[in-house]
Amino acid sequence: RAPAGPGPSGANPPSSSAPVRVVVVRGDDGQAGGHAHAAGGEHAPAQRGEGHEPAATFGWAWQPELVRSRQKDEYYQRALLSSVTDSLQAAAGPRAVGALKKEAALAAELLYAGATTLSGQQTLGEEYCDIRQVHAHAEQVPAVTTRVALVLW
């Protein structure tokens, strides 16, 4: 959905490759963003004792945060799929569940994405990992058209 951010070398991925990036809302060490700005606008890991960066500037989320976030989202999507399947079974019977398995999975994914990404809210996985999707240049919630594209992609 978004670039993984700088690796251990500290190099940022090109911002033109995606209009949305995922950022750390609060670092483990309590510093805003969890990253400090290096010379030239590059993001580097924040060191303890450094001054706090401005609240409006966030660092890129690291790959482990993205993986944990996605795993948590998949867990909740499976739980939602189970609820959709149970409702379908109660309404139309077990044969309908077997016949509409793919449609039920799509419905569960769209319900989850609609309740989170489309509405501009964090997914449960993003909230768990303290990360947020923001527009790459404005560092604010992406526009509605961008969020729709993220869901459909």
Side-chain angles (χ1 to χ4, degrees):
R1 289 175 15 167
S9 66
N12 280 338
S15 60
S16 62
S17 65
V20 176
R21 68 179 180 166
V22 179
V23 296
V24 176
V25 176
R26 177 177 37 109
D28 290 339
D29 59 357
Q31 290 187 346
H35 295 80
H37 276 287
E42 294 179 323
H43 292 278
Q47 301 294 321
R48 291 192 186 272
E50 288 184 11
H52 293 284
E53 62 184 286
T57 303
F58 301 103
W60 290 83
W62 295 89
Q63 186 174 6
E65 295 162 326
L66 295 174
V67 170
R68 278 192 303 270
S69 171
R70 184 65 190 146
Q71 289 171 338
K72 190 62 98 168
D73 287 336
E74 287 175 356
Y75 170 79
Y76 285 110
Q77 283 178 343
R78 282 191 308 269
L80 187 57
L81 175 59
S82 177
S83 296
V84 167
T85 303
D86 291 346
S87 299
L88 183 60
Q89 184 171 352
R95 286 187 183 196
V97 172
L100 300 172
K101 190 174 187 177
K102 289 182 181 179
E103 289 80 0
L106 178 63
E109 287 181 33
L110 289 176
L111 281 170
Y112 188 77
T116 56
T117 303
L118 284 180
S119 66
Q121 302 298 314
Q122 289 174 292
T123 66
L124 295 171
E126 290 169 349
E127 186 176 328
Y128 176 76
C129 294
D130 288 330
I131 59 177
R132 178 114 181 124
Q133 292 181 15
V134 296
H135 188 276
H137 304 292
E139 294 195 356
Q140 58 187 341
V141 176
V144 173
T145 54
T146 304
R147 294 192 312 255
V148 168
L150 286 170
V151 169
L152 295 178
W153 180 43

